[in-house]
Amino acid sequence: MHWMRKTAIASLAGAFVATLGFAAAPAQAQTPITFSLDFRALGRHAAWFVALDKGYYKQAGLDVSIIAGQGTAQAIQAIEAGTAQIAFSDVAGVVAARANGGSTARMVSVIYQKAPYAIFSLRDGANVRSADQLAGLEIGSGAGSFTQKVIEAFMAQKGITTPAKFTNIDPSARVGMLAAKKIPSIETFVMTRPGVAKAVGSSNARTYLLANDGLVLYSNGIVVRDDLIKSKPDLIKAFIAASLQGWKDTIAKPEEAADIVVKLNKGLEKDVVLEEIEIVSELVKTDVTARKGLGAIDPEAMASSVSLILQTLPGAKLAAGDVYDATLLPATPVLP
């Protein structure tokens, strides 16, 4: 009977692993993988820790170590230097790295189907709700900010000829300036929405997410080097499938995911983690992923994304096909 129970459990485990898109691997055949985040571990990174904690990577034959990053560009540098084999970075970073020459980074799964670029304002102030309100608007930004370039390209696409006025404000001071009504609006990632709401009052905070008003721009996803795609495609497929299962679970059970993040990353507050999970879920779960699966890459959306990014890089030339590879996604889509 004991033997039968063990056999049944092993059979169930094998069936479960098969649903993730990879074959079960012997416990002794764990391949070490270092995965670089784009920043330090936060609520937005919950899915990776869910996949780790639930053993999805291990079941895929992978011994995954998750390390902190210092920005999307640095995450790409980590895989170029061999500090990590796989990274969580953005399409803009991949385009810039390849356009500058020397980089072989490539996106193999788009996690943030919507870009997180947002403009925050006060409901009793600028109350930004549409693209036409950006004309002549003063926006707290930073010198050389990529978000500023995205906003300008977005406005051009919308046919808005009156430019916005960008004022250089340190990121740490922007929310305070907005709360004090010293600046009518600020640009920052939508993940900061809880902090903005706390500072200005949830009833007075207005969030304008460009992606909800027509901005077609892929953002963060799974990035690897070309040589790893060629030499170890099955390894990448296994990592993607296990990670997407982590995202599926995170979206379905955010409370459970928040508990895992807090358990594995000391010093984080569960309520803050949970708020970030809910925000990034809006970027990850879309009509497209409901049909094509989490992490999907649509060629037209990628082409539009690369075209927009190239507008911010004068003189750069790059084909969309040089930036991504969608052949490593699970044969059976992982639906949210």
Side-chain angles (χ1 to χ4, degrees):
M1 291 295 292
H2 178 66
W3 175 82
M4 290 177 64
R5 286 197 299 270
K6 289 180 66 178
T7 301
I9 291 170
S11 177
L12 286 171
F16 169 72
V17 170
T19 66
L20 298 185
F22 43 75
Q28 67 272 19
Q30 301 291 303
T31 301
I33 289 291
T34 299
F35 174 60
S36 174
L37 299 176
D38 51 345
F39 295 108
R40 64 183 179 87
L42 296 165
R44 68 194 71 169
H45 304 119
W48 315 107
F49 293 102
V50 168
L52 183 69
D53 189 68
K54 291 192 173 184
Y56 295 154
Y57 292 131
K58 185 176 181 180
Q59 292 161 11
L62 305 176
D63 179 14
V64 174
S65 298
I66 301 175
I67 62 174
Q70 297 178 7
T72 53
Q74 189 273 340
I76 291 175
Q77 292 170 5
I79 62 171
E80 295 290 3
T83 305
Q85 291 75 50
I86 306 176
F88 185 53
S89 188
D90 60 2
V91 175
V94 173
V95 171
R98 294 194 76 115
N100 289 334
S103 175
T104 63
R106 191 178 295 267
M107 183 77 65
V108 292
S109 177
V110 173
I111 302 300
Y112 293 172
Q113 299 282 315
K114 292 182 178 181
Y117 307 114
I119 295 174
F120 292 95
S121 60
L122 303 180
R123 291 176 184 268
D124 64 1
N127 197 30
V128 180
R129 293 172 292 171
S130 61
D132 61 300
Q133 291 176 272
L134 302 179
L137 177 69
E138 183 180 11
I139 304 173
S141 184
S145 168
F146 178 70
T147 305
Q148 175 180 330
K149 296 176 182 178
V150 169
I151 293 171
E152 290 173 335
F154 174 66
M155 292 176 66
Q157 287 183 344
K158 291 284 190 177
I160 301 171
T161 56
T162 302
K165 176 187 176 183
F166 292 95
T167 300
N168 187 11
I169 300 174
D170 186 88
S172 64
R174 286 179 203 168
V175 174
M177 292 278 285
L178 178 65
K181 298 185 177 182
K182 294 181 178 179
I183 191 87
S185 67
I186 60 173
E187 59 87 349
T188 185
F189 292 145
V190 70
M191 292 81 149
T192 63
R193 188 168 65 197
V196 173
K198 183 177 180 180
V200 308
S202 58
S203 62
N204 199 27
R206 170 68 74 182
T207 305
Y208 176 63
L209 184 67
L210 277 65
N212 284 343
D213 195 20
L215 174 67
V216 179
L217 178 61
Y218 277 152
S219 187
N220 285 42
I222 300 172
V223 177
V224 299
R225 293 197 318 262
D226 283 340
D227 61 336
L228 192 63
I229 294 175
K230 294 177 181 178
S231 64
K232 297 182 179 180
D234 289 341
L235 181 148
I236 300 172
K237 289 179 181 179
F239 181 86
I240 293 174
S243 298
L244 295 183
Q245 185 62 39
W247 277 102
K248 179 182 178 72
D249 289 4
T250 297
I251 293 170
K253 299 179 179 180
E255 284 270 358
E256 177 187 70
D259 286 334
I260 290 173
V261 173
V262 172
K263 178 180 69 174
L264 299 182
N265 298 277
K266 305 302 181 184
L268 296 181
E269 297 180 10
K270 181 180 175 179
D271 58 339
V272 176
V273 168
L274 187 58
E275 286 181 310
E276 277 211 357
I277 290 173
E278 292 171 347
I279 290 170
V280 295
S281 293
E282 297 173 12
L283 306 178
V284 176
K285 183 182 178 181
T286 66
D287 292 341
V288 172
T289 57
R291 291 182 287 106
K292 298 185 177 181
L294 296 169
I297 303 178
D298 178 77
E300 290 187 5
M302 181 61 80
S304 296
S305 299
V306 173
S307 176
L308 185 146
I309 295 165
L310 288 176
Q311 293 177 43
T312 71
L313 301 170
K317 294 181 179 181
L318 200 67
D322 296 330
V323 173
Y324 76 101
D325 185 340
T327 65
L328 301 170
L329 290 164
T332 301
V334 179
L335 301 176

